[in-house]
Amino acid sequence: MVPRVSFIGGFFGLLLTASLIAAAAGLFRSSEAQAPDMEDATWLAFEQHTDGTLQVSEANSGAELDRFVAGEDAFARGVYKSVLLERRKHGIDPQEPVQLGRTADGQLFLFDPLTSTRIALRAFGETNAAVFESLLERVPST
């Protein structure tokens, strides 16, 4: 049995992380926002399972890249939640893929072309960016 305090603390931690990411994503959103000029990029599809697990797949091939367990991986889950909230606000299908990529100068972005949301992932520190960096490295070569 999971202690109630642990569950509540984890919930509020995830809520705080999602709020910070959503606020930061708002800084990068504008009606003219364009995809960053990325040299190494892929399209990601997210699927939320009934047990709370978040599955991330490469959208074109369907290859599973990672699974983020409920109650863990707060940064990755928070980034997903911020994209999901923006899409819900605009009545956009949450199943459509988003673009993850690296620019020539090493910046790492998650870009949602449907809401013009750009999230500069390195702005949240190298440890957090490494989660998405590893997704990019796991994409099967074509």
Side-chain angles (χ1 to χ4, degrees):
M1 180 172 186
V2 177
R4 176 178 270 181
V5 173
S6 174
F7 176 74
I8 292 172
F11 172 76
F12 284 113
L14 180 59
L15 184 62
L16 177 62
T17 301
S19 298
L20 290 172
I21 292 168
L27 296 175
F28 298 104
R29 188 177 182 280
S30 75
S31 58
E32 300 94 34
Q34 302 252 336
D37 187 21
M38 295 189 266
E39 293 188 341
D40 187 15
T42 193
W43 292 92
L44 300 179
F46 295 93
E47 182 180 348
Q48 184 81 43
H49 294 278
T50 55
D51 67 355
T53 301
L54 179 64
Q55 179 180 328
V56 183
S57 302
E58 198 277 328
N60 294 325
S61 69
E64 183 178 316
L65 302 177
D66 209 339
R67 283 180 180 251
F68 300 113
V69 179
E72 299 176 13
D73 307 306
F75 180 69
R77 297 172 66 77
V79 167
Y80 166 72
K81 294 287 185 191
S82 69
V83 170
L84 186 64
L85 289 172
E86 272 302 302
R87 287 184 171 192
R88 283 185 181 160
K89 189 182 341 178
H90 297 285
I92 297 172
D93 182 4
Q95 299 300 316
E96 291 296 319
V98 295
Q99 189 178 36
L100 172 66
R102 189 180 307 112
T103 61
D105 64 356
Q107 293 299 312
L108 189 65
F109 286 96
L110 190 72
F111 178 67
D112 182 0
L114 301 178
T115 62
S116 299
T117 300
R118 273 193 296 186
I119 302 173
L121 297 165
R122 292 205 194 288
F124 297 96
E126 288 302 316
T127 302
N128 287 325
V131 172
F132 285 89
E133 197 66 64
S134 71
L135 292 175
L136 203 53
E137 292 168 4
R138 292 179 189 157
V139 173
S141 55
T142 53

